[in-house]
């Protein structure tokens, strides 16, 4: 049980680091493309919501473990 817990904690730490890297990249990109704080906020929030929608869709894979590309694109760009 202790080994399973260590493995889960290590996976959580790895995923958290990955998530922070993604958020940092989204922030940097949004900032570099924005002329004001209001524009940055709009772009940053829109990008985070797109990531959230894509992640939600990918957590509900079909029986084969797939997601249709058109569904993924709609989730990201809607």
């Amino acid at each position: 049980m202790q080994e399973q817990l260590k493995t889960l904690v290590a996976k959580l730490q790895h995923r958290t680091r990955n998530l922070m890297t993604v958020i940092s990249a989204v922030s940097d990109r949004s900032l570099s493309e924005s002329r004001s704080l209001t524009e940055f906020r709009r772009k940053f929030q829109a990008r985070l919501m797109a990531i959230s929608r894509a992640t939600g869709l990918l957590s509900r894979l079909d029986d084969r473990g797939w997601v249709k590309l058109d569904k993924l694109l709609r989730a990201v760009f809607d």
Side-chain angles (χ1 to χ4, degrees), residues 38-64:
T38 301
E39 187 178 357
F40 166 79
R41 182 174 190 243
R42 181 184 55 77
K43 287 182 179 193
F44 186 67
Q45 286 181 335
R47 287 176 170 147
L48 288 181
M49 296 312 321
I51 292 169
S52 178
R53 289 189 304 271
T55 302
L57 182 61
L58 292 171
S59 70
R60 297 183 306 272
L61 302 175
D62 68 14
D63 295 339
R64 297 173 296 194

Side-chain angles (χ1 to χ4, degrees), residues 1-77:
M1 185 136 166
Q2 283 294 80
E3 285 303 313
Q4 287 178 332
L5 185 57
K6 282 183 181 180
T7 300
L8 287 174
V9 168
K11 286 181 180 184
L12 178 61
Q13 288 175 334
H14 177 74
R15 290 179 186 204
T16 300
R17 282 191 302 273
N18 285 346
L19 180 58
M20 296 308 292
T21 300
V22 169
I23 291 170
S24 178
V26 169
S27 174
D28 289 347
R29 176 99 184 241
S30 299
L31 185 59
S32 71
E33 296 176 351
S34 300
R35 290 181 232 161
S36 69
L37 191 54
T38 301
E39 187 178 357
F40 166 79
R41 182 174 190 243
R42 181 184 55 77
K43 287 182 179 193
F44 186 67
Q45 286 181 335
R47 287 176 170 147
L48 288 181
M49 296 312 321
I51 292 169
S52 178
R53 289 189 304 271
T55 302
L57 182 61
L58 292 171
S59 70
R60 297 183 306 272
L61 302 175
D62 68 14
D63 295 339
R64 297 173 296 194
W66 294 5
V67 170
K68 290 186 177 183
L69 182 59
D70 63 325
K71 278 187 169 184
L72 183 58
L73 291 174
R74 267 191 246 112
V76 170
F77 293 109

